[in-house]
Amino acid sequence: MNVHQRTQWHRDTDGTRYRARRSFPAGPARATVLLAGPGSVSVLDGQGRDDLLLERLTGRLVAQGAQVLTCDMPVREPNSPSTEADRRTRAGRLSRLLAAHRHLPAGPLVLVGFSLGALALLQLLRSGEPRQADRAVLVGTVIEEDAFLTSHVPSLDLVYGSFDLVGYMADADDETLPPAVFAPDMYGQWSASRLVGRRAFEVRVHLLEGLGHTLHPCGPGPSRDAITALTDLVGTAQ
């Protein structure tokens, strides 16, 4: 199935230009998916493993009848920590992307984010934008503090690759404590317990075997098909 696309230029409040893209099927769309990539992906036409995964996911979702909204994100230096300004910019662009397409309603609204993109979506949900979404799928998101969701999302899925290990350095004042490393079967449940909202909602934790932080195969043994797992969670298929 061919993916039809429309790309438009926009500006941040500081004047920085960036592109927003709508990918859609030939016929009427049955759902809208707001897709936010990880920090490694900054432009819509980038090249790399994460870009290819997002391209394949977009193609599968469109083939199942969804329109997919995405946009350029701020360039981030590799291995450098995310800044508050970076997170604000990401959330702001996603908010404006949704607002620009409110005249094109198409069934359920689903939010899908990877790593920093997932944190940006979580920031939107905490601020009340959108007012309501039908579900959210957040990949590789560690939630270390209570997050109160002002938006209403009846179903929220936290997705982790089984090899996505998270390390924490010990207290610098106590040299007897070794660094701690946690697997997603532990920190995933911690993250789920920190999500609260105005109304009750369901939080589910999924571990995808043989995959890493942004759901690429790593380590020994078989691995799950990330695209199939994500499209099943998004639920656009009839």
Side-chain angles (χ1 to χ4, degrees):
M1 177 179 181
N2 292 329
V3 177
H4 300 266
Q5 294 183 326
R6 183 184 181 191
T7 302
Q8 295 180 304
W9 284 95
H10 296 273
R11 290 183 185 273
D12 286 327
T13 54
D14 65 358
T16 302
R17 301 184 74 212
Y18 67 94
R19 294 167 300 171
R21 178 170 294 165
R22 173 178 174 251
S23 302
F24 54 96
R30 298 197 308 270
T32 298
V33 178
L34 178 63
L35 181 59
S40 59
V41 177
S42 59
V43 294
L44 291 171
D45 53 359
Q47 297 180 348
R49 296 179 67 196
D50 290 335
D51 298 90
L52 292 175
L53 186 144
L54 295 180
E55 181 181 352
R56 289 178 55 215
L57 178 58
T58 297
R60 183 75 65 87
L61 292 172
V62 171
Q64 292 185 351
Q67 61 176 351
V68 180
L69 309 177
T70 188
C71 63
D72 292 334
M73 285 298 181
V75 176
R76 178 169 171 264
E77 292 297 327
N79 301 318
S80 62
S82 173
T83 65
E84 181 62 31
D86 177 87
R87 292 190 289 271
R88 284 197 305 269
T89 299
R90 290 173 186 274
R93 290 186 183 182
L94 293 171
S95 175
R96 290 189 292 274
L97 181 60
L98 272 179
H101 291 86
R102 283 184 182 141
H103 65 292
L104 296 172
L109 171 62
V110 185
L111 313 178
V112 180
F114 290 75
S115 191
L116 279 179
L119 289 176
L121 289 178
L122 188 60
Q123 184 171 329
L124 280 186
L125 294 174
R126 295 175 70 172
S127 69
E129 296 185 40
R131 184 174 180 181
Q132 179 167 341
D134 292 272
R135 64 184 65 91
V137 180
L138 307 182
V139 178
T141 309
V142 180
I143 304 170
E144 298 179 331
E145 299 177 350
D146 287 348
F148 187 86
L149 308 188
T150 305
S151 302
H152 179 53
V153 185
S155 176
L156 195 151
D157 294 279
L158 298 177
V159 181
Y160 304 96
S162 64
F163 289 115
D164 186 10
L165 303 180
V166 173
Y168 291 91
M169 297 299 297
D171 191 331
D173 295 329
D174 190 345
E175 298 180 354
T176 64
L177 294 176
V181 178
F182 298 101
D185 58 348
M186 180 176 291
Y187 68 72
Q189 295 299 331
W190 292 348
S191 295
S193 69
R194 293 186 171 99
L195 291 168
V196 293
R198 292 183 183 275
R199 288 184 280 179
F201 58 93
E202 180 183 15
V203 181
R204 298 177 295 180
V205 178
H206 308 268
L207 302 183
L208 303 187
E209 292 299 322
L211 304 180
H213 181 58
T214 51
L215 302 187
H216 294 287
C218 63
S223 60
R224 286 282 301 277
D225 180 351
I227 301 300
T228 298
L230 290 173
T231 50
D232 287 347
L233 290 175
V234 170
T236 54
Q238 288 184 331

